Amino acid sequence: MAVETFLSRPALFRRRLFGLLLLLAGATSPGAAVADGASFAGQWQQVASGTGECETCWVEIRRNGPVLKVIGKDGWFAVAHLGRIDGGDSAEGIGRWSEGGTSHYRSKPFDIRIAIADKRLYMDMSVQMDDGSKRMVRAIFDKRRTEKSMRLLPVRM
């Protein structure tokens, strides 16, 4: 607790982000990274959530080697690193809710884990609250498709 009062929360977040980026820079060979996580990239529509239904909620995932940039429609972003857990594709990382907006998670840092199983994206987000407690945000996503063609929407890179 004394360390937490010595360092501000943004400083802790920057230290964790810097550490993750260093880890990502030295991770796996480029050839191995190309084989994993190919199905993460794209837009994913939320189909279920522990915080309530949201028909307009989505996430977009952009991939750069073993690194994923995850952007939430409702004001958050994360950087995650690909891994293999339980025989399926998964990624773990850190992120932060946007400083703007009205969410009660505004400006809060979080840990994130995403995994793909049965063509769905499963997300667990552990948000660090001001009082030191953590709140879990869980959601399930499906690839976004156009209504007429049912084709996957193109990904902006």
Side-chain angles (χ1 to χ4, degrees), residues 82-148:
L82 290 171
R84 302 284 290 181
I85 297 175
D86 301 329
D89 285 327
S90 67
E92 293 184 27
I94 59 173
R96 181 174 288 280
W97 282 82
S98 171
E99 291 185 19
T102 58
S103 171
H104 57 280
Y105 296 125
R106 192 172 95 191
S107 300
K108 304 285 187 276
F110 60 84
D111 294 318
I112 189 169
R113 179 169 184 252
I114 55 176
I116 294 178
D118 299 325
K119 298 182 182 179
R120 288 206 162 166
L121 178 77
Y122 294 83
M123 179 192 78
D124 284 337
M125 178 188 292
S126 177
V127 183
Q128 180 71 44
M129 303 306 288
D130 290 336
D131 65 1
S133 67
K134 292 190 177 188
R135 292 211 184 138
M136 289 300 293
V137 176
R138 291 190 166 131
I140 302 172
F141 300 86
D142 239 342
K143 279 281 189 176
R144 286 187 73 180
R145 300 175 185 273
T146 61
E147 289 184 27
K148 292 181 182 178

Side-chain angles (χ1 to χ4, degrees), residues 13 16-17 19-25 27-28 33 36-37 40-41 59-71 76-85 89-96 110-115 121-125:
F13 176 76
R16 290 182 68 204
L17 181 60
L20 178 64
L21 292 176
L22 282 177
L23 175 69
L24 297 177
T28 68
D36 294 338
F40 275 101
V59 296
E60 182 173 340
I61 300 176
R62 298 176 186 172
R63 182 169 174 217
N64 186 6
V67 179
L68 301 177
K69 180 179 180 183
V70 186
I71 304 163
W76 58 268
F77 69 94
V79 176
H81 186 267
L82 290 171
R84 302 284 290 181
I85 297 175
D89 285 327
S90 67
E92 293 184 27
I94 59 173
R96 181 174 288 280
F110 60 84
D111 294 318
I112 189 169
R113 179 169 184 252
I114 55 176
L121 178 77
Y122 294 83
M123 179 192 78
D124 284 337
M125 178 188 292

